[in-house]
């Protein structure tokens, strides 16, 4: 176990008072010089001109390709006829000719065959709501890279690691609230049903330790605040006075959720794009819903495939497992600079596959279907989710503690060539991590306790 991993594990057991005192210890001392170097690189690459950004991309891409071509048989085979080009990378056009890596290509071989474990910190797994897991290794200084960038993002809403935050996520906790020193946070279980006694205890803790920020999946924050608004308005009153900023992570902040949260507490919020693979990180540096990628974290491209722009990324830092021109399978609306470098992007329709198919075989974006129309159903329910039954047929699940009998009348299905069934559930479907996905990909049957 590495020293950083050991620190992270120990941090979960440090008492609150000691943790809050130790939270003033700078992260450059906790994570070492790599943390500080990444902080400096973030600032440098955001401020530098386009020509220097291009030079950084070309040199870094050449280095990472050479590394894996010489040390990894899988990647050498992947290059195929392009193998001889790897020493002649002098322009962005040369990079664009390299073949894309996909999750399916990586999964086709064993983890050991495509990785260098000697340069790895630990094994990660991803899959999310897609249900297609991928194993890979992250590099030794991964946490330095990750947290230097996350702290830069959170600083945009006034956050400092010495200030406590509430983090809402799907995590099994022994108590209703658990302190974690590593991020100076109070963890809240998105799966737990809080009663009045629980909310009173949370208020006592948050008051005592002056909690000022909320962090978590937008859907989980929304669900927690919606429930607290009904059961514990006194907690909401505290939040209104004390919460300085909100950090929406790991999930696209659907407008209905975000508007509710910002109207209730504060508009000082920030969202970012990222994924477990640790290849691309982008955040709302200039305006909401427009994401600027950090070149210091990885190289992001917009590659047009079948009339859609796919977000493609290259990790210059991960020497353990190759992610070179890796197709994230996310669809975006890109904005380019004068050299064709991806400057920023908007999420087109969430994860690829977050669509349903109508009777004519057309793909209908769920973002557009659910959030692009004015559904009066949103005024009387907490969540709306969709499952594709068969091509041309979907089930709309809507969650509410009150009986809603006219859901069909409140849902705008005009000009849709889709048969729609409606089903009410008491609680929304959640993933293992506590996310509330718009598209339910696994077979879902509501249990008696959920109706």
């Amino acid at each position: 176990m590495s020293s950083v991993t050991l620190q992270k594990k120990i941090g979960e057991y440090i008492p609150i008072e000691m943790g809050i005192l130790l939270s003033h210890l700078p992260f450059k001392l906790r994570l070492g010089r790599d943390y500080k170097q990444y902080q400096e690189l973030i600032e440098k690459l955001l401020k530098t001109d386009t020509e220097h950004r291009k030079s950084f991309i070309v040199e870094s891409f050449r280095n990472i390709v050479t590394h894996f071509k010489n040390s990894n048989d899988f990647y050498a085979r992947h290059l195929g006829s392009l193998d001889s080009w790897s020493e002649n990378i002098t322009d962005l056009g040369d990079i664009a000719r390299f073949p894309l890596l996909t999750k399916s290509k990586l999964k086709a071989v064993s983890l050991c065959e495509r990785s260098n474990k000697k340069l790895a910190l630990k094994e990660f797994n991803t899959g999310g709501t897609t249900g297609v897991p991928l194993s890979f290794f992250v590099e030794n200084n991964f946490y330095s890279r990750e947290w230097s960038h996350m702290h830069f993002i959170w600083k945009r809403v006034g956050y400092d690691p010495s200030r406590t935050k509430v983090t809402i996520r799907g995590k099994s906790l022994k108590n209703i609230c658990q302190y974690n020193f590593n991020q100076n946070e109070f963890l809240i279980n998105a799966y737990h049903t809080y009663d009045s006694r629980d909310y009173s205890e949370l208020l006592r803790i948050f008051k005592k330790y002056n909690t000022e920020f909320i962090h978590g999946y937008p859907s989980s924050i929304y669900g927690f605040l919606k429930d607290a608004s009904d059961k514990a308005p006194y907690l909401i009153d505290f939040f209104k006075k004390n919460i300085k900023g909100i950090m929406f992570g790991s999930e696209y902040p659907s407008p209905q959720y975000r508007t509710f949260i910002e109207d209730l507490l504060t508009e000082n919020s920030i969202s970012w794009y990222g994924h477990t693979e640790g290849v691309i990180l982008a955040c709302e540096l200039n305006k909401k819903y427009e994401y600027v990628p950090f070149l210091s974290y990885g190289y992001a491209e917009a590659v047009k495939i079948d009339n859609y722009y796919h977000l493609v990324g290259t990790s210059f830092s991960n020497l353990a497992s190759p992610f070179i021109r890796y197709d994230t399978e996310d669809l975006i609306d890109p904005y380019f600079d004068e050299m064709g470098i991806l400057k920023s992007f908007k999420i087109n329709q969430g994860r690829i596959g977050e669509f349903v198919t109508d009777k004519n075989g057309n793909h209908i974006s769920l973002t557009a279907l659910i959030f692009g129309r004015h559904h009066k159903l949103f005024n009387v329910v907490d969540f709306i989710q969709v499952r594709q039954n068969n091509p041309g047929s979907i089930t709309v699940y809507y969650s509410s503690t009150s009986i809603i009998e006219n859901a069909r009348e409140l849902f705008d299905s005009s000009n849709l060539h889709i048969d729609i069934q409606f089903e009410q559930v008491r609680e929304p479907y959640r993933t293992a991590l506590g996310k509330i996905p718009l598209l339910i990909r696994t077979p879902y049957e509501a249990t008696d306790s959920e109706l």
Side-chain angles (χ1 to χ4, degrees), residues 207-232:
K207 270 188 174 181
K208 181 177 180 179
Y209 299 107
N210 192 34
T211 304
E212 297 180 291
F213 295 86
I214 295 180
H215 169 213
Y217 308 132
S219 58
S220 296
I221 296 175
Y222 169 84
F224 178 79
L225 294 178
K226 197 86 186 300
D227 188 63
S229 296
D230 295 332
K231 297 178 181 178

PDB file of all heavy atoms in Angstrom, residues 207-232:
ATOM      1  N   LYS A 207     -24.088  23.043  12.686  1.00  0.00           N
ATOM      2  CA  LYS A 207     -23.933  24.307  13.413  1.00  0.00           C
ATOM      3  C   LYS A 207     -22.617  24.330  14.192  1.00  0.00           C
ATOM      4  O   LYS A 207     -21.877  25.316  14.155  1.00  0.00           O
ATOM      5  CB  LYS A 207     -25.105  24.504  14.388  1.00  0.00           C
ATOM      6  CG  LYS A 207     -26.306  25.233  13.813  1.00  0.00           C
ATOM      7  CD  LYS A 207     -27.306  25.537  14.919  1.00  0.00           C
ATOM      8  CE  LYS A 207     -28.440  26.403  14.392  1.00  0.00           C
ATOM      9  NZ  LYS A 207     -29.411  26.735  15.477  1.00  0.00           N
ATOM     10  N   LYS A 208     -22.356  23.250  14.891  1.00  0.00           N
ATOM     11  CA  LYS A 208     -21.169  23.181  15.747  1.00  0.00           C
ATOM     12  C   LYS A 208     -19.887  23.354  14.945  1.00  0.00           C
ATOM     13  O   LYS A 208     -18.951  24.027  15.386  1.00  0.00           O
ATOM     14  CB  LYS A 208     -21.142  21.845  16.497  1.00  0.00           C
ATOM     15  CG  LYS A 208     -19.953  21.698  17.444  1.00  0.00           C
ATOM     16  CD  LYS A 208     -20.018  20.386  18.214  1.00  0.00           C
ATOM     17  CE  LYS A 208     -18.826  20.257  19.159  1.00  0.00           C
ATOM     18  NZ  LYS A 208     -18.876  18.987  19.935  1.00  0.00           N
ATOM     19  N   TYR A 209     -19.853  22.763  13.745  1.00  0.00           N
ATOM     20  CA  TYR A 209     -18.624  22.792  12.957  1.00  0.00           C
ATOM     21  C   TYR A 209     -18.708  23.750  11.761  1.00  0.00           C
ATOM     22  O   TYR A 209     -17.886  23.685  10.852  1.00  0.00           O
ATOM     23  CB  TYR A 209     -18.266  21.368  12.510  1.00  0.00           C
ATOM     24  CG  TYR A 209     -18.031  20.467  13.697  1.00  0.00           C
ATOM     25  CD1 TYR A 209     -18.962  19.495  14.058  1.00  0.00           C
ATOM     26  CD2 TYR A 209     -16.890  20.615  14.480  1.00  0.00           C
ATOM     27  CE1 TYR A 209     -18.753  18.675  15.166  1.00  0.00           C
ATOM     28  CE2 TYR A 209     -16.669  19.797  15.589  1.00  0.00           C
ATOM     29  CZ  TYR A 209     -17.604  18.841  15.927  1.00  0.00           C
ATOM     30  OH  TYR A 209     -17.391  18.048  17.027  1.00  0.00           O
ATOM     31  N   ASN A 210     -19.696  24.627  11.777  1.00  0.00           N
ATOM     32  CA  ASN A 210     -19.799  25.724  10.817  1.00  0.00           C
ATOM     33  C   ASN A 210     -19.655  25.251   9.366  1.00  0.00           C
ATOM     34  O   ASN A 210     -18.803  25.702   8.615  1.00  0.00           O
ATOM     35  CB  ASN A 210     -18.736  26.794  11.117  1.00  0.00           C
ATOM     36  CG  ASN A 210     -18.970  28.074  10.340  1.00  0.00           C
ATOM     37  OD1 ASN A 210     -20.115  28.452  10.085  1.00  0.00           O
ATOM     38  ND2 ASN A 210     -17.901  28.750   9.964  1.00  0.00           N
ATOM     39  N   THR A 211     -20.524  24.327   8.970  1.00  0.00           N
ATOM     40  CA  THR A 211     -20.485  23.773   7.624  1.00  0.00           C
ATOM     41  C   THR A 211     -20.939  24.823   6.603  1.00  0.00           C
ATOM     42  O   THR A 211     -22.016  25.397   6.748  1.00  0.00           O
ATOM     43  CB  THR A 211     -21.386  22.533   7.528  1.00  0.00           C
ATOM     44  OG1 THR A 211     -20.970  21.593   8.525  1.00  0.00           O
ATOM     45  CG2 THR A 211     -21.282  21.894   6.157  1.00  0.00           C
ATOM     46  N   GLU A 212     -20.127  25.067   5.552  1.00  0.00           N
ATOM     47  CA  GLU A 212     -20.375  26.185   4.646  1.00  0.00           C
ATOM     48  C   GLU A 212     -20.559  25.801   3.180  1.00  0.00           C
ATOM     49  O   GLU A 212     -20.898  26.652   2.357  1.00  0.00           O
ATOM     50  CB  GLU A 212     -19.229  27.192   4.745  1.00  0.00           C
ATOM     51  CG  GLU A 212     -19.089  27.835   6.110  1.00  0.00           C
ATOM     52  CD  GLU A 212     -17.948  28.823   6.162  1.00  0.00           C
ATOM     53  OE1 GLU A 212     -16.779  28.373   6.086  1.00  0.00           O
ATOM     54  OE2 GLU A 212     -18.214  30.033   6.266  1.00  0.00           O
ATOM     55  N   PHE A 213     -20.318  24.522   2.832  1.00  0.00           N
ATOM     56  CA  PHE A 213     -20.417  24.114   1.425  1.00  0.00           C
ATOM     57  C   PHE A 213     -21.142  22.778   1.316  1.00  0.00           C
ATOM     58  O   PHE A 213     -21.121  21.972   2.254  1.00  0.00           O
ATOM     59  CB  PHE A 213     -19.027  24.008   0.786  1.00  0.00           C
ATOM     60  CG  PHE A 213     -18.303  25.324   0.701  1.00  0.00           C
ATOM     61  CD1 PHE A 213     -17.556  25.794   1.770  1.00  0.00           C
ATOM     62  CD2 PHE A 213     -18.410  26.111  -0.430  1.00  0.00           C
ATOM     63  CE1 PHE A 213     -16.916  27.021   1.716  1.00  0.00           C
ATOM     64  CE2 PHE A 213     -17.770  27.342  -0.504  1.00  0.00           C
ATOM     65  CZ  PHE A 213     -17.025  27.798   0.581  1.00  0.00           C
ATOM     66  N   ILE A 214     -21.781  22.569   0.178  1.00  0.00           N
ATOM     67  CA  ILE A 214     -22.443  21.293  -0.109  1.00  0.00           C
ATOM     68  C   ILE A 214     -21.862  20.733  -1.402  1.00  0.00           C
ATOM     69  O   ILE A 214     -21.699  21.456  -2.390  1.00  0.00           O
ATOM     70  CB  ILE A 214     -23.966  21.457  -0.247  1.00  0.00           C
ATOM     71  CG1 ILE A 214     -24.579  21.893   1.092  1.00  0.00           C
ATOM     72  CG2 ILE A 214     -24.607  20.148  -0.701  1.00  0.00           C
ATOM     73  CD1 ILE A 214     -26.085  22.075   1.037  1.00  0.00           C
ATOM     74  N   HIS A 215     -21.563  19.448  -1.375  1.00  0.00           N
ATOM     75  CA  HIS A 215     -20.915  18.782  -2.510  1.00  0.00           C
ATOM     76  C   HIS A 215     -21.614  17.448  -2.754  1.00  0.00           C
ATOM     77  O   HIS A 215     -21.989  16.753  -1.816  1.00  0.00           O
ATOM     78  CB  HIS A 215     -19.432  18.567  -2.158  1.00  0.00           C
ATOM     79  CG  HIS A 215     -18.696  17.668  -3.110  1.00  0.00           C
ATOM     80  ND1 HIS A 215     -17.676  16.843  -2.698  1.00  0.00           N
ATOM     81  CD2 HIS A 215     -18.822  17.471  -4.442  1.00  0.00           C
ATOM     82  CE1 HIS A 215     -17.192  16.181  -3.738  1.00  0.00           C
ATOM     83  NE2 HIS A 215     -17.880  16.531  -4.806  1.00  0.00           N
ATOM     84  N   GLY A 216     -21.826  17.103  -4.028  1.00  0.00           N
ATOM     85  CA  GLY A 216     -22.413  15.805  -4.323  1.00  0.00           C
ATOM     86  C   GLY A 216     -23.037  15.750  -5.694  1.00  0.00           C
ATOM     87  O   GLY A 216     -22.973  16.708  -6.470  1.00  0.00           O
ATOM     88  N   TYR A 217     -23.631  14.607  -6.016  1.00  0.00           N
ATOM     89  CA  TYR A 217     -24.361  14.474  -7.269  1.00  0.00           C
ATOM     90  C   TYR A 217     -25.552  15.437  -7.224  1.00  0.00           C
ATOM     91  O   TYR A 217     -26.261  15.492  -6.210  1.00  0.00           O
ATOM     92  CB  TYR A 217     -24.871  13.055  -7.459  1.00  0.00           C
ATOM     93  CG  TYR A 217     -23.833  11.976  -7.303  1.00  0.00           C
ATOM     94  CD1 TYR A 217     -24.098  10.856  -6.509  1.00  0.00           C
ATOM     95  CD2 TYR A 217     -22.598  12.054  -7.943  1.00  0.00           C
ATOM     96  CE1 TYR A 217     -23.156   9.850  -6.359  1.00  0.00           C
ATOM     97  CE2 TYR A 217     -21.656  11.061  -7.790  1.00  0.00           C
ATOM     98  CZ  TYR A 217     -21.936   9.962  -7.003  1.00  0.00           C
ATOM     99  OH  TYR A 217     -21.017   8.972  -6.843  1.00  0.00           O
ATOM    100  N   PRO A 218     -25.805  16.183  -8.287  1.00  0.00           N
ATOM    101  CA  PRO A 218     -26.953  17.106  -8.283  1.00  0.00           C
ATOM    102  C   PRO A 218     -28.262  16.433  -7.910  1.00  0.00           C
ATOM    103  O   PRO A 218     -29.053  16.992  -7.145  1.00  0.00           O
ATOM    104  CB  PRO A 218     -26.975  17.627  -9.723  1.00  0.00           C
ATOM    105  CG  PRO A 218     -25.566  17.515 -10.191  1.00  0.00           C
ATOM    106  CD  PRO A 218     -25.017  16.291  -9.516  1.00  0.00           C
ATOM    107  N   SER A 219     -28.482  15.235  -8.433  1.00  0.00           N
ATOM    108  CA  SER A 219     -29.739  14.539  -8.131  1.00  0.00           C
ATOM    109  C   SER A 219     -29.830  14.180  -6.656  1.00  0.00           C
ATOM    110  O   SER A 219     -30.907  14.228  -6.057  1.00  0.00           O
ATOM    111  CB  SER A 219     -29.869  13.275  -8.991  1.00  0.00           C
ATOM    112  OG  SER A 219     -28.777  12.395  -8.771  1.00  0.00           O
ATOM    113  N   SER A 220     -28.694  13.826  -6.030  1.00  0.00           N
ATOM    114  CA  SER A 220     -28.696  13.466  -4.613  1.00  0.00           C
ATOM    115  C   SER A 220     -28.890  14.695  -3.727  1.00  0.00           C
ATOM    116  O   SER A 220     -29.602  14.632  -2.717  1.00  0.00           O
ATOM    117  CB  SER A 220     -27.384  12.761  -4.245  1.00  0.00           C
ATOM    118  OG  SER A 220     -27.263  11.537  -4.929  1.00  0.00           O
ATOM    119  N   ILE A 221     -28.247  15.803  -4.088  1.00  0.00           N
ATOM    120  CA  ILE A 221     -28.429  17.048  -3.336  1.00  0.00           C
ATOM    121  C   ILE A 221     -29.883  17.481  -3.416  1.00  0.00           C
ATOM    122  O   ILE A 221     -30.504  17.859  -2.417  1.00  0.00           O
ATOM    123  CB  ILE A 221     -27.503  18.155  -3.874  1.00  0.00           C
ATOM    124  CG1 ILE A 221     -26.027  17.780  -3.669  1.00  0.00           C
ATOM    125  CG2 ILE A 221     -27.791  19.483  -3.172  1.00  0.00           C
ATOM    126  CD1 ILE A 221     -25.055  18.767  -4.280  1.00  0.00           C
ATOM    127  N   TYR A 222     -30.428  17.416  -4.623  1.00  0.00           N
ATOM    128  CA  TYR A 222     -31.824  17.784  -4.837  1.00  0.00           C
ATOM    129  C   TYR A 222     -32.758  16.942  -3.974  1.00  0.00           C
ATOM    130  O   TYR A 222     -33.651  17.457  -3.281  1.00  0.00           O
ATOM    131  CB  TYR A 222     -32.164  17.614  -6.322  1.00  0.00           C
ATOM    132  CG  TYR A 222     -33.636  17.707  -6.651  1.00  0.00           C
ATOM    133  CD1 TYR A 222     -34.263  18.936  -6.841  1.00  0.00           C
ATOM    134  CD2 TYR A 222     -34.410  16.552  -6.786  1.00  0.00           C
ATOM    135  CE1 TYR A 222     -35.613  19.010  -7.159  1.00  0.00           C
ATOM    136  CE2 TYR A 222     -35.753  16.615  -7.099  1.00  0.00           C
ATOM    137  CZ  TYR A 222     -36.353  17.844  -7.290  1.00  0.00           C
ATOM    138  OH  TYR A 222     -37.688  17.912  -7.592  1.00  0.00           O
ATOM    139  N   GLY A 223     -32.545  15.634  -3.994  1.00  0.00           N
ATOM    140  CA  GLY A 223     -33.396  14.739  -3.230  1.00  0.00           C
ATOM    141  C   GLY A 223     -33.310  15.012  -1.738  1.00  0.00           C
ATOM    142  O   GLY A 223     -34.334  15.012  -1.033  1.00  0.00           O
ATOM    143  N   PHE A 224     -32.093  15.241  -1.239  1.00  0.00           N
ATOM    144  CA  PHE A 224     -31.901  15.515   0.185  1.00  0.00           C
ATOM    145  C   PHE A 224     -32.578  16.825   0.589  1.00  0.00           C
ATOM    146  O   PHE A 224     -33.285  16.890   1.604  1.00  0.00           O
ATOM    147  CB  PHE A 224     -30.408  15.574   0.504  1.00  0.00           C
ATOM    148  CG  PHE A 224     -30.098  15.893   1.936  1.00  0.00           C
ATOM    149  CD1 PHE A 224     -30.185  14.920   2.917  1.00  0.00           C
ATOM    150  CD2 PHE A 224     -29.720  17.176   2.310  1.00  0.00           C
ATOM    151  CE1 PHE A 224     -29.901  15.217   4.247  1.00  0.00           C
ATOM    152  CE2 PHE A 224     -29.444  17.488   3.633  1.00  0.00           C
ATOM    153  CZ  PHE A 224     -29.526  16.500   4.601  1.00  0.00           C
ATOM    154  N   LEU A 225     -32.381  17.877  -0.194  1.00  0.00           N
ATOM    155  CA  LEU A 225     -32.954  19.182   0.134  1.00  0.00           C
ATOM    156  C   LEU A 225     -34.478  19.177   0.001  1.00  0.00           C
ATOM    157  O   LEU A 225     -35.182  19.836   0.778  1.00  0.00           O
ATOM    158  CB  LEU A 225     -32.358  20.267  -0.758  1.00  0.00           C
ATOM    159  CG  LEU A 225     -30.865  20.557  -0.559  1.00  0.00           C
ATOM    160  CD1 LEU A 225     -30.402  21.629  -1.536  1.00  0.00           C
ATOM    161  CD2 LEU A 225     -30.581  20.986   0.869  1.00  0.00           C
ATOM    162  N   LYS A 226     -34.982  18.438  -0.997  1.00  0.00           N
ATOM    163  CA  LYS A 226     -36.432  18.364  -1.181  1.00  0.00           C
ATOM    164  C   LYS A 226     -37.078  17.698   0.042  1.00  0.00           C
ATOM    165  O   LYS A 226     -38.096  18.161   0.555  1.00  0.00           O
ATOM    166  CB  LYS A 226     -36.731  17.561  -2.453  1.00  0.00           C
ATOM    167  CG  LYS A 226     -38.145  17.732  -2.989  1.00  0.00           C
ATOM    168  CD  LYS A 226     -38.223  18.931  -3.896  1.00  0.00           C
ATOM    169  CE  LYS A 226     -39.640  19.218  -4.335  1.00  0.00           C
ATOM    170  NZ  LYS A 226     -40.284  18.138  -5.073  1.00  0.00           N
ATOM    171  N   ASP A 227     -36.458  16.636   0.525  1.00  0.00           N
ATOM    172  CA  ASP A 227     -36.998  15.931   1.682  1.00  0.00           C
ATOM    173  C   ASP A 227     -36.873  16.789   2.947  1.00  0.00           C
ATOM    174  O   ASP A 227     -37.804  16.878   3.744  1.00  0.00           O
ATOM    175  CB  ASP A 227     -36.251  14.610   1.874  1.00  0.00           C
ATOM    176  CG  ASP A 227     -36.881  13.733   2.947  1.00  0.00           C
ATOM    177  OD1 ASP A 227     -38.039  13.320   2.759  1.00  0.00           O
ATOM    178  OD2 ASP A 227     -36.218  13.470   3.964  1.00  0.00           O
ATOM    179  N   ALA A 228     -35.730  17.454   3.104  1.00  0.00           N
ATOM    180  CA  ALA A 228     -35.511  18.293   4.278  1.00  0.00           C
ATOM    181  C   ALA A 228     -36.451  19.500   4.283  1.00  0.00           C
ATOM    182  O   ALA A 228     -36.864  19.970   5.345  1.00  0.00           O
ATOM    183  CB  ALA A 228     -34.058  18.761   4.330  1.00  0.00           C
ATOM    184  N   SER A 229     -36.797  19.996   3.105  1.00  0.00           N
ATOM    185  CA  SER A 229     -37.722  21.131   3.019  1.00  0.00           C
ATOM    186  C   SER A 229     -39.072  20.780   3.624  1.00  0.00           C
ATOM    187  O   SER A 229     -39.737  21.626   4.234  1.00  0.00           O
ATOM    188  CB  SER A 229     -37.900  21.569   1.564  1.00  0.00           C
ATOM    189  OG  SER A 229     -36.687  22.053   1.026  1.00  0.00           O
ATOM    190  N   ASP A 230     -39.485  19.520   3.468  1.00  0.00           N
ATOM    191  CA  ASP A 230     -40.775  19.073   4.002  1.00  0.00           C
ATOM    192  C   ASP A 230     -40.678  18.697   5.478  1.00  0.00           C
ATOM    193  O   ASP A 230     -41.549  19.040   6.275  1.00  0.00           O
ATOM    194  CB  ASP A 230     -41.287  17.875   3.201  1.00  0.00           C
ATOM    195  CG  ASP A 230     -41.601  18.223   1.758  1.00  0.00           C
ATOM    196  OD1 ASP A 230     -41.935  19.394   1.501  1.00  0.00           O
ATOM    197  OD2 ASP A 230     -41.506  17.328   0.902  1.00  0.00           O
ATOM    198  N   LYS A 231     -39.598  17.986   5.834  1.00  0.00           N
ATOM    199  CA  LYS A 231     -39.505  17.420   7.182  1.00  0.00           C
ATOM    200  C   LYS A 231     -38.743  18.294   8.177  1.00  0.00           C
ATOM    201  O   LYS A 231     -38.965  18.196   9.389  1.00  0.00           O
ATOM    202  CB  LYS A 231     -38.818  16.045   7.118  1.00  0.00           C
ATOM    203  CG  LYS A 231     -39.560  14.995   6.317  1.00  0.00           C
ATOM    204  CD  LYS A 231     -38.761  13.704   6.293  1.00  0.00           C
ATOM    205  CE  LYS A 231     -39.444  12.620   5.469  1.00  0.00           C
ATOM    206  NZ  LYS A 231     -38.615  11.380   5.412  1.00  0.00           N
ATOM    207  N   ALA A 232     -37.811  19.112   7.681  1.00  0.00           N
ATOM    208  CA  ALA A 232     -36.937  19.877   8.584  1.00  0.00           C
ATOM    209  C   ALA A 232     -36.638  21.265   8.016  1.00  0.00           C
ATOM    210  O   ALA A 232     -35.497  21.570   7.674  1.00  0.00           O
ATOM    211  CB  ALA A 232     -35.643  19.107   8.824  1.00  0.00           C
TER     212      ALA A 232
END
